[in-house]
Amino acid sequence: MYDPTVARLTYRALLGRRRALILFALPVLLIVIAGAVRGFSGVDDQVAVDVLGGFALATMVPIIGVIAGTGAIGPEIDDGSVVYLLSKPVKRPTIIFTKLIVAIAVTMAFSAIPTFIAGMILNGNGQQIAVAYTIAALVASITYAAIFLLLGTITRHAVVFGLVYALVWEALFGSLVVGARTLSVQQWSLAVAQKVGDGDLITSDVGLPTATALLVVVTAATTWFAGQKLRSLKLAGEE
């Protein structure tokens, strides 16, 4: 289910100079904000939750997921080079699964690590806040990568749709509109963070069992559908 050659090519595409600069920008910004906030307000658990929940989990993680998920396959479909990949004796599910693993790894590295660093800067992991949001970022990275990998296989405008989802649905509606929160990856991952953190500062509108089930189902369903879409692309190319 994992092909090292496909993985190496995907890593090379995702970590090229231009895309790497974009991937580094948001984590650096988060750490700078955390340092500035700590300098101005000192150690404050509520402020740490506000920064990590409002910027790291609601904005940074989904945007990095967009870049990694769509970038894992979207450019190959856009320029037609995916036909060359599909002509190799590699099973279609293996291609999708390998690209998903790479997208997850990149999303985790560029979101969870800076989230932990920012959390330690903000309050030194008081009430397990840094660890809780780091785990939430890790969990969210898996589902975001799967969702945006699927977008990369079904539309040439995957980045645009992904950013709309990340900025409008997750960062805006997922934070402000009560009904939308239930269908938000952000809220699902917050349910995990709430379980890990101490105290009652971290909250989610979704219970942990429901959140866990939704994370698993959405990740599995989007991965499966991406594989089906890739299979149809192969058939179209052969025709």
Side-chain angles (χ1 to χ4, degrees), residues 211-231:
T212 302
L214 288 170
L215 286 165
V216 172
V217 169
V218 170
T219 301
T222 50
T223 302
W224 176 84
F225 194 75
Q228 297 303 305
K229 179 61 178 177
L230 192 63
R231 181 173 299 170

Side-chain angles (χ1 to χ4, degrees), residues 90-166:
V90 182
K91 295 179 180 179
R92 304 296 84 81
T94 298
I95 294 174
I96 286 295
F97 185 76
T98 301
K99 287 183 173 293
L100 176 62
I101 293 299
V102 173
I104 289 172
V106 171
T107 306
M108 285 182 170
F110 284 92
S111 60
I113 294 173
T115 296
F116 179 75
I117 294 172
M120 294 301 293
I121 292 172
L122 286 165
N123 78 332
N125 196 37
Q127 297 194 56
Q128 293 291 309
I129 289 173
V131 171
Y133 275 99
T134 298
I135 292 175
L138 290 170
V139 170
S141 295
I142 299 172
T143 303
Y144 280 133
I147 290 172
F148 297 128
L149 180 66
L150 171 61
L151 274 181
T153 65
I154 64 178
T155 175
R156 292 179 178 272
H157 306 291
V159 174
V160 175
F161 287 116
L163 289 175
V164 169
Y165 175 87

